[in-house]
Amino acid sequence: MANFVLIAGARLGSWAWDDVVPYLRAAGHGVHPLTLSGLAEKQGVPAGQQTHVQDIVDEVERQDLRDVVLVGHSYSGIPSGQAAGRIGDRLAHVVFLDSSVPADGEPFVSAWPDGGAMMRTTIAENGGFWPVAPATHFEGHGLTDEQIARIAGGSTPHPGATLTEPAVLERPLGDLPATYIKCTLGDPDPSDDVAKLLTSGRWRLIEMDTGHWPMFSRPRELARILTDIAGA
């Protein structure tokens, strides 16, 4: 059986996987949802980009995990893609869940239309953090009002340095055994960088007909997809 290491996107902690974990455990897998430094119950812990990469590597090594299926959602595809190249033969597969993907030497914000200028201003104006999003940010993603309230209410400000510091890839992403899960509601096509990676022989694409937070909107379906990936 696989050991799933689950990392939710910006502003979220391990709690975001609460609806998915029981299904994975029922299928016999080890499940290790992880809160990154500076978020949720780890608020106040200083964090940059490499802090989050090291959080993931440390979790895998501390628990001596093997057959790791590393799942990075949204922002967390950035540190997950880097960590995947650093855990060696412990890695079985990496899943990019409707996520960004790291580019060597580039920060998360570099892919934004303005190169991240507005984000950097926002971070500077908010004490070094990306502030939590209003409830309206989550509309149109197949979420109920209750689910939106859970996400918005549980979110914490995101450490800004993790978004502006550059990625460091020790292994080309195209060499990783990887699946990209694209959530197609309102945004059906993968980004150009993901589309390029999907041409490699080791990446494949799976689509989900839901919005950007499938761990809330479709937890059972997401768990089934992850279980299928682990068994492939």
Side-chain angles (χ1 to χ4, degrees):
M1 293 290 104
N3 279 298
F4 285 95
V5 177
L6 308 173
I7 306 102
R11 310 180 179 107
L12 304 176
S14 61
W15 63 271
W17 300 98
D18 285 354
D19 294 345
V20 177
V21 167
Y23 295 116
L24 295 176
R25 288 191 173 145
H29 298 293
V31 191
H32 309 271
L34 177 64
T35 294
L36 299 175
S37 294
L39 296 163
E41 73 273 15
K42 296 181 182 177
Q43 285 186 86
V45 177
Q49 178 65 231
Q50 295 311 306
T51 313
H52 281 179
V53 176
Q54 197 63 47
D55 285 342
I56 300 168
V57 174
D58 287 349
E59 178 74 2
V60 170
E61 294 182 345
R62 181 179 63 83
Q63 301 208 49
D64 194 24
L65 301 179
R66 305 282 174 174
D67 299 314
V68 172
V69 178
L70 179 57
V71 183
H73 164 251
S74 193
Y75 152 78
S76 290
I78 299 288
S80 295
Q82 295 169 75
R86 300 183 191 183
I87 60 176
D89 61 5
R90 295 176 183 271
L91 179 75
H93 207 84
V94 57
V95 179
F96 294 92
L97 177 56
D98 212 42
S99 76
S100 302
V101 293
D104 195 39
E106 297 292 336
F108 170 78
V109 296
S110 66
W112 290 46
D114 63 355
M118 186 175 295
M119 172 68 85
R120 291 175 191 275
T121 298
T122 298
I123 291 168
E125 291 175 347
N126 287 274
F129 289 87
W130 190 14
V132 297
T136 52
H137 177 70
F138 304 98
E139 294 174 356
H141 287 274
L143 297 161
T144 65
D145 289 345
E146 181 182 359
Q147 288 166 342
I148 290 175
R150 266 181 76 196
I151 302 171
S155 296
T156 49
H158 192 94
T162 69
L163 309 172
T164 58
E165 292 178 358
V168 180
L169 290 178
E170 293 190 5
R171 183 177 176 186
L173 288 185
D175 291 349
L176 296 171
T179 297
Y180 193 91
I181 299 177
K182 183 70 184 84
C183 297
T184 60
L185 184 60
D187 184 19
D189 299 316
S191 58
D192 290 345
D193 53 352
V194 171
K196 184 176 180 180
L197 286 162
L198 288 167
T199 65
S200 78
R202 308 206 71 188
W203 281 55
R204 64 170 174 153
L205 175 68
I206 294 176
E207 295 181 343
M208 291 186 71
D209 182 19
T210 190
H212 185 59
W213 291 271
M215 64 278 281
F216 295 97
S217 61
R218 298 280 183 88
R220 184 192 295 268
E221 180 184 350
L222 176 58
R224 178 187 57 77
I225 290 170
L226 293 177
T227 297
D228 288 349
I229 289 170

